[in-house]
Amino acid sequence: MQVNATFLQNDPVRPIAFGRADLDNPPRRRLRGEPLKEGILAESVIVGFCGTDYTLMKMGRAGQLGPKFPAGRDRLINGHEGVVYVPSEKRYAIVLIRGGDAYDPTRYTEEESYFEYGCDGADGLFSDCNYYHPDMLLPIPDEILTDGKLPLQMAKRLVFPDPYACMIFQLERMEDLGSAHNFRVVQAREKCSEAEAREIAKREIFDRVVIFGLGTTGMFLGDLIRQSYPQARIVFVGRSSGESAKVRFACRTASAEYVCSAGLDARQTAEAIRERIGGRATAFVGSSGNAVEAEVAFEGGVLANNGIYNSFSLGPRLGFDTMPFGFQNHLIFSSINFRQAHMEKAIRLLVRSRYDEIVELIDKEEFTADPVAAYENRIYAKGSPLKTAVVWNPDYLLMP
């Protein structure tokens, strides 16, 4: 079966192109121990653009995409954020992106394998339609439909389940590790039981949180921390003006403070953060994609003794001086992706959110006419929207 789609390829000039592509429907596993199942057909309705797509495009320009292609293909249909419609079941769905022969696809072992629709080994959503594992088409609440159609406002919110679920997982990991890291200190201080100490340590790891990098992932994590830990003091760090719309939106949503690092070196940035947060951070999240975040946290002294460092950036190398690192008892972790339960929770939370306000649409014809130019000059150019999406099939949407 052939469909219209954008696809990533190893090409120095056209690393992403639009045209006709053949679809495959190999049997896949959702999780280890489950049966192989062929996919069922779903039509793309609205699709969001992710920084991962942009990174993959640059990999294609450098000829590095080979391991990401589906078996037997020399291209990958990209796109992993959005809403699809399942004609055979007459319902809308969110695609659970990550599956495979693993017990927990967030932390697969070397004997296990995974696939990701639109990212790694499996075609994605920037196509008229595609085949998806039937158990990986997650329902959206029926009550948000109007006369059987999905309102555009809701559709915009639902381009975010993938990154929002990823941040729900990040919060879970920070809770797990923060509690385990510090409960003995709390138990000695409070003279309480281990169970009580673990709960206190979990809460205290969010007392002073620095989120370095103000993209959607950082914004979502701040939002989730605020919902779970009202006492948290949260500081976003970014290069945008404090008066910009995205900074105002993020700070309002997460009841957070902000430090603009534009024009500051690492030392000055660290000083500004410590002053704003009122001390040193109990938790530091690096999500800027820039190696300076680790320099600010460790050499700049922003991360407090017994604090945890969540390395969420893809690309930069992490460095620290082992002497102070060891004696200050820092904990570094890095983990990406999510489980199905995280995405299901993300869907429930997003339909009640206001995140449609930060999504701007690009015309489908503009995008497909020259996908490379759209990525470089519109979607990820300086001053681009915080989130861009494209309506792939307006027939399934209730447009304003």
Side-chain angles (χ1 to χ4, degrees):
M1 180 179 180
Q2 280 198 334
V3 295
N4 293 315
T6 64
F7 48 86
L8 297 154
Q9 58 188 356
N10 284 326
D11 189 306
V13 179
R14 297 175 71 235
I16 183 169
F18 176 75
R20 300 290 286 175
D22 289 304
L23 292 183
D24 297 314
N25 190 16
R28 301 184 188 277
R29 280 190 176 88
R30 185 180 66 116
L31 292 172
R32 175 163 281 200
E34 295 186 355
L36 290 164
K37 292 186 179 182
E38 289 189 349
I40 59 176
L41 205 64
E43 299 180 28
S44 298
V45 177
I46 186 171
V47 190
F49 296 89
C50 174
T52 300
D53 299 332
Y54 191 38
T55 298
L56 292 172
M57 188 188 86
K58 290 186 283 189
M59 288 174 63
R61 182 169 280 153
Q64 300 170 343
L65 272 182
K68 300 289 186 182
F69 295 147
R73 296 292 178 187
D74 60 359
R75 58 63 198 143
L76 170 70
I77 298 174
N78 61 313
H80 56 280
E81 300 179 351
V83 181
V84 299
Y85 185 79
V86 187
S88 62
E89 299 177 353
K90 296 182 180 178
R91 68 179 180 95
Y92 294 86
I94 302 295
V95 180
L96 176 63
I97 297 303
R98 190 175 175 114
D101 191 21
Y103 292 113
D104 184 342
T106 63
R107 281 173 278 172
Y108 68 98
T109 71
E110 60 273 10
E111 293 86 17
E112 298 177 332
S113 62
Y114 73 94
F115 67 89
E116 288 185 310
Y117 287 117
C119 293
D120 201 329
D123 290 328
L125 278 70
F126 278 120
S127 56
D128 293 341
C129 57
N130 199 2
Y131 294 101
Y132 302 102
H133 190 294
D135 301 329
M136 297 174 69
L137 289 165
L138 307 182
I140 64 174
D142 289 335
E143 59 267 22
I144 70 172
L145 302 179
T146 301
D147 297 326
K149 287 195 172 185
L150 182 64
L152 179 62
Q153 179 189 44
M154 288 294 178
K156 285 183 173 182
R157 295 175 188 177
L158 289 173
V159 300
F160 290 120
D162 179 289
Y164 205 78
C166 204
M167 291 303 105
I168 293 173
F169 175 54
Q170 294 302 304
L171 177 63
E172 176 186 279
R173 292 290 283 156
M174 292 175 76
E175 290 174 331
D176 291 349
L177 295 173
S179 176
H181 187 47
N182 287 328
F183 80 89
R184 294 190 187 281
V185 176
V186 173
Q187 191 173 15
R189 185 189 75 206
E190 301 295 330
K191 306 295 189 292
C192 60
S193 69
E194 179 178 326
E196 291 171 319
R198 286 182 179 273
E199 283 300 311
I200 295 170
K202 181 174 72 172
R203 183 179 68 250
E204 288 184 348
I205 207 68
F206 299 102
D207 280 352
R208 296 180 303 281
V209 181
V210 172
I211 299 175
F212 199 100
L214 190 52
T216 52
T217 52
M219 180 190 304
F220 293 158
L221 185 56
D223 175 14
L224 288 162
I225 291 172
R226 175 60 64 207
Q227 291 182 50
S228 298
Y229 299 95
Q231 89 288 351
R233 188 166 187 180
I234 303 168
V235 172
F236 289 122
V237 183
R239 299 184 61 81
S240 300
S241 165
E243 299 304 311
S244 69
K246 78 170 185 177
V247 172
R248 292 200 304 271
F249 182 90
C251 289
R252 181 176 71 248
T253 301
S255 298
E257 300 171 77
Y258 183 69
V259 169
C260 176
S261 61
L264 304 180
D265 60 23
R267 180 187 59 79
Q268 293 168 328
T269 301
E271 290 176 353
I273 294 171
R274 289 196 304 270
E275 181 178 353
R276 181 58 57 87
I277 206 169
R280 299 173 72 192
T282 52
F284 188 106
V285 181
S287 63
S288 71
N290 192 315
V292 73
E293 58 194 25
E295 186 178 348
V296 168
F298 298 117
E299 295 179 30
V302 170
L303 187 62
N305 285 24
N306 307 313
I308 65 172
Y309 184 98
N310 180 348
S311 176
F312 191 73
S313 291
L314 294 176
R317 291 182 176 272
L318 196 66
F320 54 87
D321 186 335
T322 56
M323 179 68 78
F325 174 80
F327 280 97
Q328 292 181 42
N329 199 36
H330 291 146
L331 171 64
I332 297 176
F333 81 96
S334 181
S335 53
I336 297 172
N337 277 295
F338 47 82
R339 297 186 297 278
Q340 180 171 330
H342 297 133
M343 183 166 269
E344 291 169 338
K345 182 176 181 179
I347 294 169
R348 295 193 300 270
L349 292 175
L350 284 167
V351 297
R352 302 197 302 268
S353 76
R354 296 173 54 187
Y355 283 116
D356 56 288
E357 296 177 19
I358 62 172
V359 179
E360 294 189 22
L361 299 177
I362 184 173
D363 184 76
K364 181 181 176 183
E365 284 66 35
E366 178 186 352
F367 170 53
T368 57
D370 190 342
V372 173
Y375 271 99
E376 295 182 335
N377 303 326
R378 175 81 183 273
I379 300 167
Y380 291 103
K382 184 178 181 180
S384 63
L386 191 56
K387 187 69 172 182
T388 304
V390 58
V391 173
W392 203 265
N393 191 335
D395 292 342
Y396 292 113
L397 293 178
L398 185 65
M399 306 296 282

